[in-house]
Amino acid sequence: MDVVRQAHLPGNYELYDEESGGLGPPICKFCWEKDHARNTSSLDTVWLSLDGWNVVWWVCKGHHAGMGTGDPSMIILKSETSLVRNPMIGK
Amino acid sequence: MMEEKLGPGQVWGKKFVVYAALGVPKVDPLKWRFKIDGLVDAPQEFTYNQLTSLSQVISKRPAQCVTRWSIRDSEWEGVPLKALIEPSGPRPEAKWVMFHCEEGYTAPVPLSDALSDGSVLAFKLNGKPLSAEQGFPARPFIPDLYLWKSAKWVNRMEMMENYRDGYWEAYGYHERANIWEEERFKGMHGKAVRRTALGTA
């Protein structure tokens, strides 16, 4: 049975099989936090600065398109239109 | 009992979740070397056979991951880190240890935690040699810190005066990572858990 768990990449979520301990695919951060929806389809990877923190988020294309508008504390540094499972973070 | 204590905010899991952010290296134990250097008076270098020939202890404490799962009944067998560090003569200004690993992973820990009771350089987990996925040939186990500090495939222990980010700390994980203080992310002090810019609560 897959459950949603905190991913090791801070601020992100992924599916997890409790019986086997196996990791499933990541899910869109915003779909989960806003609606508890397990959206695993076609995720993008976004590197951003948020309140001085450098973070990397996995988000769906719909939420990616809306990021960075109206929030001066959020600066998008770069993005990939694909899932980067182990992204290197900028220092 | 202390060894079965679950950290705050943790849940018991059934099996380890295996992470390998930089891949699983294949290590030849005959060629592998473990070094202790940096701010020490007597840098050391060991082979696998030398280390496994030293007196071994078992540290029976849960493995507790920052992603909130913990595994009970984990027995980490190896050489107390204290028995390796003290003969190397760490200088008074040494306050941190950086673990360096085969695949480029790094993890800093306070020297005081490395020297604490129960901290070992482990070669076995639950009576069996570490598997490749669990860090063969060696990984430290530091029971009071979240598991990312117990760096797999370790090959070097560098004594430092000042803190430096390792692999996961650059992503926002905590400098010290004490389980009992729930130090998961930078900017989280003591047990004050707040919603951070990382989006975690």
Side-chain angles (χ1 to χ4, degrees):
Chain A
M1 174 63 182
D2 282 348
V3 298
V4 175
R5 63 189 298 282
Q6 175 187 320
H8 211 301
L9 184 64
N12 293 281
Y13 305 90
E14 61 196 353
L15 297 177
Y16 165 65
D17 185 308
E18 287 185 300
E19 290 300 317
S20 69
L23 293 178
I27 61 176
C28 170
K29 169 188 178 63
F30 293 115
C31 288
W32 176 253
E33 290 182 346
K34 291 177 180 174
D35 302 318
H36 273 203
R38 302 179 176 200
N39 183 4
T40 62
S41 61
S42 301
L43 299 189
D44 293 346
T45 308
V46 183
W47 287 255
L48 61 150
S49 171
L50 187 63
D51 291 330
W53 296 84
N54 281 343
V55 297
V56 185
W57 285 346
W58 295 318
V59 298
C60 68
K61 299 196 185 307
H63 280 119
H64 185 181
M67 286 177 65
T69 56
D71 185 352
S73 67
M74 180 186 291
I75 302 168
I76 294 178
L77 303 173
K78 69 170 184 174
S79 58
E80 294 275 347
T81 55
S82 62
L83 177 70
V84 181
R85 189 81 195 226
N86 294 308
M88 296 302 290
I89 201 159
K91 292 188 180 179
Chain B
M1 292 173 63
M2 183 65 179
E3 57 266 25
E4 292 301 322
K5 192 174 173 186
L6 184 66
Q10 298 290 111
V11 295
W12 292 119
K14 293 178 182 174
K15 293 186 177 178
F16 281 87
V17 179
V18 174
Y19 301 103
L22 299 174
V24 177
K26 284 188 177 178
V27 181
D28 180 347
L30 295 177
K31 295 178 180 173
W32 177 82
R33 297 291 183 271
F34 181 74
K35 297 177 183 175
I36 303 174
D37 61 11
L39 295 175
V40 294
D41 290 332
Q44 314 238 11
E45 182 173 309
F46 300 91
T47 66
Y48 182 73
N49 284 339
Q50 285 172 329
L51 286 168
T52 54
S53 297
L54 297 174
S55 179
Q56 313 280 304
V57 298
I58 292 175
S59 182
K60 186 179 178 184
R61 299 278 293 273
Q64 312 217 41
C65 179
V66 68
T67 61
R68 299 184 183 276
W69 55 264
S70 300
I71 302 295
R72 65 171 97 222
D73 295 331
S74 60
E75 295 186 0
W76 304 86
E77 185 172 343
V79 181
L81 283 174
K82 193 174 189 176
L84 296 172
I85 293 171
E86 288 188 340
S88 71
R91 294 180 189 155
E93 62 268 30
K95 297 291 184 283
W96 289 86
V97 176
M98 183 71 86
F99 292 110
H100 297 265
C101 304
E102 289 284 326
E103 83 294 21
Y105 182 91
T106 49
V109 304
L111 177 58
S112 56
D113 282 294
L115 292 170
S116 67
D117 289 343
S119 292
V120 297
L121 182 65
F123 305 99
K124 291 184 177 179
L125 174 58
N126 295 332
K128 298 177 181 174
L130 292 169
S131 65
E133 290 74 19
Q134 284 289 8
F136 179 83
R139 67 185 294 185
F141 176 68
I142 302 171
D144 290 324
L145 305 184
Y146 289 116
L147 199 57
W148 91 81
K149 299 289 191 178
S150 296
K152 295 186 276 191
W153 313 294
V154 70
N155 61 15
R156 181 183 168 210
M157 199 161 46
E158 176 193 9
M159 304 295 151
M160 311 186 299
E161 180 176 4
N162 298 311
Y163 168 84
R164 296 200 313 263
D165 273 349
Y167 180 84
W168 281 117
E169 292 77 15
Y171 291 79
Y173 281 125
H174 199 276
E175 295 90 338
R176 184 175 68 156
N178 184 279
I179 293 164
W180 314 109
E181 297 294 326
E182 216 176 344
E183 293 172 338
R184 298 178 193 273
F185 302 105
K186 289 177 180 173
M188 296 173 75
H189 300 289
K191 294 181 179 177
V193 180
R194 63 179 173 79
R195 191 168 184 84
T196 72
L198 301 172
T200 54

